[in-house]
Amino acid sequence: MKIVIINGPNLNFLGTREPEIYGRQTLKEIESKIQQYAEIQEVDCSFFQSNSEGELIDRIQQAHMDKVDGIVLNPAAYTHYSYAIHDAVKSVAIPTVEVHLSAIHARESFRKESVIAPACIGQISGFGATGYLLAIQALKEVRNKGENE
């Protein structure tokens, strides 16, 4: 199974950026944790991070060309207003799980709505880096269910 982990703006500053909300792990440390878990789960993971909406859309579309089986997407601030990312997820028809490190529904009111979630098969928030692992497990379950039907 091939999964791409896509991270949006400012996540390259994890470990420095508001550690009381996002934790002290860097993005590289989180990716290492994900990679270790993925190997145990026999999942081939690749990683991408950008602060640019267009680059995120390009990577989502590239996932279609790469015949990726699933996407784990942390759109960060784009969660709340990027209809373009929503449309990109819909257009590729790849099972996608939206992930957030923080509990977005327990934060500022503008963070409570995701315009991307309706394009995804699910959303995980508030579990820190563990959310990425939960998303991988969810994508595996969805794939296995589809193969058994």
Side-chain angles (χ1 to χ4, degrees):
M1 178 172 198
K2 284 173 57 172
I3 294 176
V4 62
I5 314 292
I6 301 174
N7 284 291
N10 299 310
L11 294 173
N12 55 315
F13 260 62
L14 289 175
T16 301
R17 177 186 178 213
E18 299 178 275
E20 66 281 0
I21 295 173
Y22 300 106
R24 298 204 179 277
Q25 286 183 303
T26 66
L27 184 57
K28 290 295 179 203
E29 290 168 340
I30 291 171
E31 288 174 350
S32 177
K33 179 179 179 177
I34 295 167
Q35 188 63 47
Q36 290 171 4
Y37 179 77
E39 288 172 9
I40 293 166
Q41 296 297 315
E42 299 179 348
V43 171
D44 178 20
C45 274
S46 61
F47 301 94
F48 181 79
Q49 187 279 326
S50 177
N51 294 322
S52 168
E53 182 180 34
E55 289 181 9
L56 295 170
I57 292 165
D58 289 344
R59 185 60 188 98
I60 291 166
Q61 292 175 350
Q62 185 62 45
H64 173 75
M65 306 308 253
D66 295 342
K67 299 188 184 328
V68 168
D69 300 302
I71 298 171
V72 176
L73 174 62
N74 184 340
Y78 289 129
T79 300
H80 317 293
Y81 64 88
S82 181
Y83 296 103
I85 292 175
H86 166 102
D87 289 351
V89 171
K90 292 282 282 194
S91 72
V92 297
I94 298 170
T96 301
V97 177
E98 182 181 326
V99 171
H100 298 281
L101 296 165
S102 68
I104 62 171
H105 301 287
R107 296 187 59 202
E108 303 95 333
S109 61
F110 76 89
R111 294 189 194 274
K112 293 180 182 184
E113 182 180 352
S114 169
V115 300
I116 296 169
C120 298
I121 62 169
Q123 181 190 73
I124 300 168
S125 71
F127 294 100
T130 301
Y132 292 96
L133 311 184
L134 296 169
I136 290 169
Q137 187 60 43
L139 288 169
K140 281 188 67 178
E141 292 291 329
V142 167
R143 182 175 188 212
N144 291 341
K145 182 179 177 188
E147 288 176 354
N148 293 327
E149 290 182 348

